[in-house]
Amino acid sequence: MASSSGADQAMLLLRRQLKELTRHPVEGFSAGLVDDNNILEWAVTIIGPPDTYYEGGFFNAVMSFPTDYPQSPPTVRFTSEMWHPNVYTDGRVCISILHSAGDDPNGYEHASERWTPVHTIETILVSIISMLSSPNDESPANIDAAKEWREDRDAYKKRVARIVRKSQEC
Amino acid sequence: MTAEGEQQPDAADVANAAAEAVATEGDDRPSDADIIAHAASIRDEQAQRPLVGSREPLSSLMDDFVGAAPALVSKCEALAKSHSHVRRMRRDGNCFFRAFLFGLLERLIGRPEACAAAKKRFGDYGKKLVEAGYQEFVFEDALELLQECIDKCAGAPGPMDESSVVTLESALCDAVTSNHLVMLLRMVASCEVSRRAEFFEPFIQGAHDCDVESFRRRFVEPMDEESDHVVMSALSEAVCCAEVTVEYLSADQAAAEAIQFKAEDAAQLDESCRVHMTMVYRPGHFDLLYPQ
């Protein structure tokens, strides 16, 4: 019956989303490919949401899709400097919808939403934008950032203001 | 609907494995890393098995329980009076959906009328998915793939035609095809749960202590999540032409208990369009059964 490989299926779906996002851009982010020859690697820019510490920032990130997307989630890594409880110091975004079932070594995410194939680039980025608006300090990826968010909000604010400025420079 | 055996998934194996590890190490509880490694080894072991196995004599099912669960052996013996074969699904959490998928397509082989009805039903359901807010491009490839599979079934020379069954087996052992179709059925089931939210809500709250939306996002749409009665009745309701009988093997009941999942409007469908399949369930896992 069907003889297409997993990668083909993933690529088809991603190409369709690229076309759709080019035609109808969504407020809050822009998305394109890192390299036009590789549909599995996306370069996105997330605009710091208004009325948050991140307002005014332009944060670049790379989304890498596995060949069995959409059955498995992509990874998202900020390449712009980021300071956030749910972003590892190497830039990797740690939110529940980017984890597949059975991929939760800490058991933190039992009660929250996980990756499902109905997620699209748009819904992932919308979730990341909402993560910027409301950090979750319960299961932090960056413990120092979570601690600062909890205990020294002024210092947190200052540090984020710095990365916002930095993101505007380049 | 009963809550019996729910959520003792293939993950039950993992839990048992963890318990075993405790037993062998005396008082020392295994570390999280040990448990994760063990769970991964169980997953790896399952990954060696085909997504859909070939038909085996029912006695092979009995062999699973000999020595381990005598109560289930006698229940298997009872099943053997009316059933001859079993077809195993991989224990990856998708077994119900995969068994349903295979069971449906296998029973559509060589029945053009039933194929046309099923095709129409799924086509119509695509519209319902859009109405429910699913973006078309997330499911349309999978829907097209399913329609192609149904067309292949329609073209077979007769019901259960052997070479068509073999073709279907290899199609659904291909991870891409198989998982793509499972993904579609998960969306269909999830959408149906949402369409009948009022009906399902008390069952969901009772069994999972969460609202309908979270249930769909946590248990129905993600791959590899176990299915419970809510999912089973939602899927058979949505697909309508498929009636699923589940033979429950549990250690605490006197006889195997059969439960039927059948759409309310299935009665309006002509018998020539209906599909009947039987599954065997023991805590954590579904396989397909074949009557004598």
Side-chain angles (χ1 to χ4, degrees):
Chain A
M1 290 191 189
S3 58
S4 62
S5 78
D8 289 346
Q9 208 106 41
M11 287 174 191
L12 208 68
L13 184 54
L14 288 168
R15 229 169 253 132
R16 207 169 303 173
Q17 296 191 64
L18 182 64
K19 212 161 121 192
E20 183 67 23
L21 284 169
T22 317
R23 218 182 298 153
H24 308 287
V26 177
E27 210 176 312
F29 66 85
S30 66
L33 299 182
V34 172
D35 165 358
D36 281 344
N37 296 317
N38 183 5
I39 189 87
L40 297 174
E41 290 252 312
W42 286 52
V44 298
T45 302
I46 294 170
I47 299 165
D51 305 318
T52 69
Y53 300 152
Y54 298 89
E55 178 166 8
F58 295 92
F59 303 104
N60 296 325
V62 171
M63 299 177 87
S64 311
F65 291 86
T67 48
D68 67 345
Y69 171 80
Q71 271 109 52
S72 299
T75 57
V76 182
R77 198 169 59 82
F78 277 104
T79 49
S80 298
E81 194 178 331
M82 184 41 78
W83 183 250
H84 191 285
N86 308 114
V87 178
Y88 287 100
T89 47
D90 68 357
R92 263 180 312 131
V93 175
C94 176
I95 52 174
S96 60
I97 62 152
L98 294 179
H99 292 185
S100 23
D103 168 29
D104 179 20
N106 302 320
Y108 283 132
E109 283 157 7
H110 229 77
S112 55
E113 201 179 339
R114 252 169 299 162
W115 173 258
T116 84
V118 305
H119 282 297
T120 61
I121 288 162
E122 180 180 338
T123 62
I124 295 166
L125 292 175
V126 166
S127 294
I128 294 177
I129 292 168
S130 114
M131 169 202 86
L132 290 178
S133 310
S134 37
N136 166 14
D137 59 5
E138 305 265 296
S139 59
N142 181 337
I143 292 166
D144 295 330
K147 214 171 147 212
E148 199 171 77
W149 164 264
R150 228 181 285 178
E151 294 168 6
D152 191 352
R153 198 58 72 86
D154 278 341
Y156 184 91
K157 203 170 144 181
K158 258 184 219 145
R159 204 194 280 248
V160 171
R162 227 172 11 242
I163 60 157
V164 166
R165 270 199 307 281
K166 237 185 185 171
S167 78
Q168 292 162 337
E169 281 161 17
C170 37
Chain B
M1 306 215 280
T2 75
E4 186 268 315
E6 261 170 39
Q7 290 304 305
Q8 307 180 9
D10 297 337
D13 297 346
V14 176
N16 291 339
E20 258 174 49
V22 172
T24 53
E25 288 178 22
D27 286 343
D28 297 328
R29 255 186 62 73
S31 70
D32 286 357
D34 293 342
I35 294 173
I36 291 164
H38 206 104
S41 81
I42 291 170
R43 260 201 304 275
D44 291 348
E45 188 206 315
Q46 278 303 314
Q48 304 297 315
R49 299 176 191 226
L51 292 167
V52 175
S54 38
R55 260 168 71 129
E56 299 170 49
L58 197 67
S59 57
S60 93
L61 187 65
M62 232 174 285
D63 296 343
D64 286 6
F65 306 124
V66 172
L72 297 189
V73 175
S74 59
K75 277 178 201 174
C76 277
E77 280 164 359
L79 267 188
K81 291 189 183 123
S82 44
H83 298 82
S84 61
H85 289 81
V86 60
R87 186 188 293 278
R88 292 171 191 267
M89 303 292 136
R90 187 187 286 176
R91 291 171 164 246
D92 59 0
N94 299 312
C95 51
F96 169 72
F97 283 100
R98 219 178 303 273
F100 185 94
L101 183 64
F102 191 91
L104 174 66
L105 291 172
E106 187 182 35
R107 278 149 198 77
L108 287 176
I109 288 173
R111 295 173 60 197
E113 214 175 322
C115 287
K119 218 178 143 180
K120 180 170 185 313
R121 184 77 186 175
F122 280 108
D124 291 347
Y125 215 89
K127 292 177 201 124
K128 291 184 189 165
L129 285 170
V130 173
E131 280 164 25
Y134 288 82
Q135 285 183 270
E136 202 163 355
F137 66 77
V138 305
F139 67 83
E140 64 186 355
D141 287 342
L143 186 56
E144 210 171 286
L145 186 60
L146 181 61
Q147 311 279 44
E148 280 170 26
C149 291
I150 296 176
D151 284 340
K152 289 256 164 70
C153 294
M160 291 292 201
D161 166 61
E162 213 161 301
S163 84
S164 306
V165 173
V166 172
T167 314
L168 183 64
E169 266 176 33
S170 65
L172 293 193
C173 279
D174 170 62
V176 177
T177 305
S178 207
N179 290 338
H180 223 60
L181 295 177
V182 166
M183 178 191 91
L184 174 71
L185 291 188
R186 284 183 174 277
M187 290 182 200
V188 167
S190 173
C191 179
E192 190 68 20
V193 170
S194 153
R195 288 163 54 82
R196 294 167 192 264
E198 210 171 301
F199 171 73
F200 285 123
E201 197 176 18
F203 298 104
I204 291 171
Q205 275 176 347
H208 302 281
D209 194 25
C210 67
D211 62 25
V212 173
E213 276 306 299
S214 327
F215 172 75
R216 294 173 54 209
R217 286 198 307 262
R218 281 160 53 185
F219 300 108
V220 192
E221 286 174 0
M223 296 297 282
D224 305 346
E225 281 290 344
E226 295 295 318
S227 304
D228 68 1
H229 289 72
V230 170
V231 171
M232 293 155 73
S233 67
L235 188 63
S236 31
E237 197 63 62
V239 177
C240 193
C241 60
E243 182 182 316
V244 183
T245 304
V246 178
E247 296 282 354
Y248 274 68
L249 296 182
S250 67
D252 59 349
Q253 281 158 342
E257 184 193 3
I259 296 188
Q260 262 192 5
F261 294 90
K262 183 170 158 184
E264 270 173 42
D265 9 323
Q268 293 163 17
L269 283 173
D270 194 82
E271 181 58 34
S272 65
C273 297
R274 290 205 236 161
V275 166
H276 306 272
M277 66 179 105
T278 309
M279 295 181 196
V280 57
Y281 174 86
R282 65 269 203 197
H285 190 62
F286 293 90
D287 288 315
L288 270 178
L289 269 186
Y290 292 81
Q292 278 187 346

